[in-house]
């Protein structure tokens, strides 16, 4: 059973001039929507006809992925994003297709463990998982994206909160359309797998997600005004049970992830990696008993790590359906490098450190 939520009329955002060369993507990104202090502002829709690539070639529209900032074919981006609650219990590892995400949010849940809100748009896999239940902060994380959310279930009050958000809900507990299966080679309840590309294909009426962050060049923090420091490693402590870390790998220009001191790999066997790591210090609301609720509406301390550098600043989010805005200590927009991003929602009771 699909829960058809009220669908927000979102215009496709972030598209730049058609026919732009991929080699100039960083310049276009910085000039077209990287300069705006508010990345939620939608760039004007492009109406010019695409220029032909060759004498006999059909016109191809070149745009940019709104959640990655990378070059993409315009027609390939005309579909919704899908946000999925992904398990991070030890028995749920390795997860499926984390390296194909556009965004991943890591959040504290009960028992000091963490779970992910993983978001796919530019590269939607056939299968993702393991899928787990919703939590009270998830509507605030997912609402700015629109599109689809998929999860296994959850407490009735949390499910109701998610259903009230402006997204289409797909719930394992109520699904009778075959979008979810249980994997024979995984222990329950860490075995629920979602047919992600099929879920997206069933909702062609939904628009692409809006741009969420400002993007710059491949080394977006090089400008001295950001006062970025060279960084070889990032350490984050959510609780006594969860302490993810990231090591800069210059060879691949990515951050390589570890959990509790061990290399973190996905089901493909690849090391989990990210082009950008955004670390946010967040408050925790304990009004739901043993279930912590990450406070997403407000502001706090933040760091952006990209291209082996880290810049300090603040994050702010004005409303549940508003995007996160990252601002440097100098007052400029903190830009990301084009590529995938992990957003680490580290409680203020935890810790963060950056090694030179």
């Amino acid at each position: 059973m699909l829960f058809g939520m009220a669908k927000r009329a979102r215009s496709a955002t972030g598209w730049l001039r058609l026919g732009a060369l991929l080699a100039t993507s960083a310049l276009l990104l910085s000039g077209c929507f990287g300069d705006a202090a508010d990345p939620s502002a939608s760039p004007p829709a492009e109406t010019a006809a695409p220029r032909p690539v060759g004498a006999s070639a059909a016109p191809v529209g070149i745009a940019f992925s709104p959640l990655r900032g990378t070059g993409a074919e315009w027609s390939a981006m005309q579909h919704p994003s899908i946000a999925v609650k992904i398990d991070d219990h030890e028995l749920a590892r390795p997860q499926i297709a984390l390296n194909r995400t556009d965004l991943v949010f890591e959040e504290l849940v009960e028992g000091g463990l963490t779970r992910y809100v993983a978001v796919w748009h530019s590269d939607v896999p056939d299968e993702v998982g393991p899928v787990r239940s919703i939590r009270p902060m998830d509507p605030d994380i997912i609402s700015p994206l629109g599109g689809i959310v998929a999860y296994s279930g959850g407490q009735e009050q949390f499910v109701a909160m998610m259903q009230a958000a402006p997204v289409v809900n797909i719930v394992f507990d109520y699904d009778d359309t075959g979008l979810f299966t249980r994997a024979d080679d995984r222990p329950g309840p860490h075995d629920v797998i979602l047919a992600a590309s099929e879920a997206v294909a069933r909702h062609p009426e939904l628009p692409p997600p809006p741009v969420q962050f400002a993007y710059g060049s491949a080394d977006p923090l090089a400008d001295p005004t950001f006062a970025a420091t060279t960084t070889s490693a990032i350490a984050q402590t959510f609780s006594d049970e969860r302490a993810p870390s990231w090591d800069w790998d210059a060879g691949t220009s990515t951050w390589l992830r570890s959990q509790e001191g061990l290399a973190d790999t996905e089901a493909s066997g690849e090391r989990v990696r990210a082009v950008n790591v955004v670390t946010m210090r967040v408050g925790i609301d304990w009004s739901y008993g043993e279930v912590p609720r990450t406070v997403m509406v407000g502001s706090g301390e933040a760091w952006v790590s990209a291209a082996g550098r880290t810049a300090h600043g603040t994050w702010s989010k004005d409303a549940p359906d508003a995007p996160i805005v990252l601002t440097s200590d100098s007052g400029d927009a903190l830009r990301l490098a084009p590529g995938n991003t992990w957003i680490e929602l580290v409680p203020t009771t935890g810790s963060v450190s950056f090694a030179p």
Side-chain angles (χ1 to χ4, degrees), residues 234-258:
I234 308 167
Q236 301 146 334
T237 300
F238 281 73
S239 69
D240 291 341
E241 302 297 324
R242 286 292 178 266
S245 60
W246 300 85
D247 294 302
W248 175 246
D249 181 50
T252 60
S253 296
T254 60
W255 302 95
L256 302 180
R257 181 177 167 85
S258 297

Side-chain angles (χ1 to χ4, degrees), residues 175-252:
D175 178 66
D176 58 3
T177 65
L179 286 175
F180 295 93
T181 57
R182 287 192 179 273
D184 293 336
D185 59 345
R186 292 175 178 266
H190 317 288
D191 58 348
V192 178
I193 307 300
L194 171 70
S197 59
E198 175 61 23
V200 170
R202 291 186 187 185
H203 291 280
E205 78 283 2
L206 296 176
V211 172
Q212 297 296 299
F213 296 104
Y215 293 90
S217 69
D219 190 3
L221 306 176
D223 191 316
T225 61
F226 292 117
T229 58
T230 299
T231 306
S232 63
I234 308 167
Q236 301 146 334
T237 300
F238 281 73
S239 69
D240 291 341
E241 302 297 324
R242 286 292 178 266
S245 60
W246 300 85
D247 294 302
W248 175 246
D249 181 50
T252 60

